[in-house]
Amino acid sequence: MLIFLLTLAAPAVAQEPPPKPDRPLADAAQEARAQALFDDIRCVVCQHEAIADSPAGIAGDMRGLVRDQIADGASDQQIRSDLVRRYGDFVLFKPPVRGGTWLLWFGPLILMLAAAALILLRGRRRQMEVAPLTPEEDARLTDILNAEPIRRDPDAKPSND
């Protein structure tokens, strides 16, 4: 029974501890710079959230790193460069356009153009010209239409006429 209870409690124990509370910078202008940078930097754990909004522990560490670098007098570009050096271009919501990120920037456009071209090519292939009926086929169709009495659809409503 004790092993069963420990097994149930294991996920609660294995969770990441909450991040340390943020300590804002004393200078309001520096803190405003930090907040602006937080919105441009992606959390490497959450991947869809900025570090400003992420509850992950590493996001708290990244916020602390940005604040420390601002307090040390680093420019915004220097801070971004340092984060790219540590985590790669993915850490920025707007990575620079260069060889390694070319596919990231232009890949979706290329895929959309390729899909549109494929749809157009398939659409043109399907437009086959129907051969006209031979005189024998036309005569047979005329015989069938004239021989069959026209029957009303029992399920048809007056509005379908």
Side-chain angles (χ1 to χ4, degrees):
M1 185 66 151
L2 180 62
I3 293 173
F4 178 70
L5 290 175
L6 288 174
T7 305
L8 287 177
V13 174
Q15 291 180 357
E16 181 179 350
K20 295 181 281 185
D22 285 348
R23 289 181 301 127
L25 293 166
D27 184 9
Q30 287 181 335
E31 182 61 25
R33 266 185 62 207
Q35 292 295 329
L37 280 170
F38 294 165
D39 291 331
D40 293 338
I41 301 168
R42 182 188 316 262
C43 175
V44 294
V45 174
C46 304
Q47 297 184 2
H48 65 281
E49 286 184 312
I51 61 172
D53 304 324
S54 175
I58 194 164
D61 294 343
M62 291 170 77
R63 288 190 298 266
L65 177 69
V66 169
R67 284 188 173 114
D68 290 344
Q69 289 181 355
I70 287 175
D72 291 341
S75 69
D76 291 356
Q77 186 56 40
Q78 289 172 329
I79 295 169
R80 285 187 183 98
S81 297
D82 183 52
L83 289 169
V84 167
R85 180 185 57 79
R86 291 173 187 238
Y87 302 107
D89 287 326
F90 181 74
V91 77
L92 300 176
F93 275 115
K94 294 180 183 174
V97 178
R98 58 176 175 225
T101 60
W102 189 84
L103 187 61
L104 178 67
W105 278 99
F106 302 109
L109 177 65
I110 291 169
L111 285 175
M112 285 179 23
L113 291 175
L118 183 68
I119 290 170
L120 286 174
L121 288 175
R122 289 202 173 237
R124 286 186 178 179
R125 268 193 217 160
R126 291 194 177 156
Q127 294 176 353
M128 297 187 324
E129 194 170 315
V130 179
L133 295 176
T134 63
E136 295 84 24
E137 292 171 335
D138 193 22
R140 175 77 177 126
L141 179 61
T142 305
D143 290 341
I144 290 172
L145 291 175
N146 289 335
E148 296 273 334
I150 298 177
R151 291 177 279 156
R152 284 188 59 86
D153 184 0
D155 297 328
K157 298 177 186 152
S159 61
N160 293 346
D161 291 338

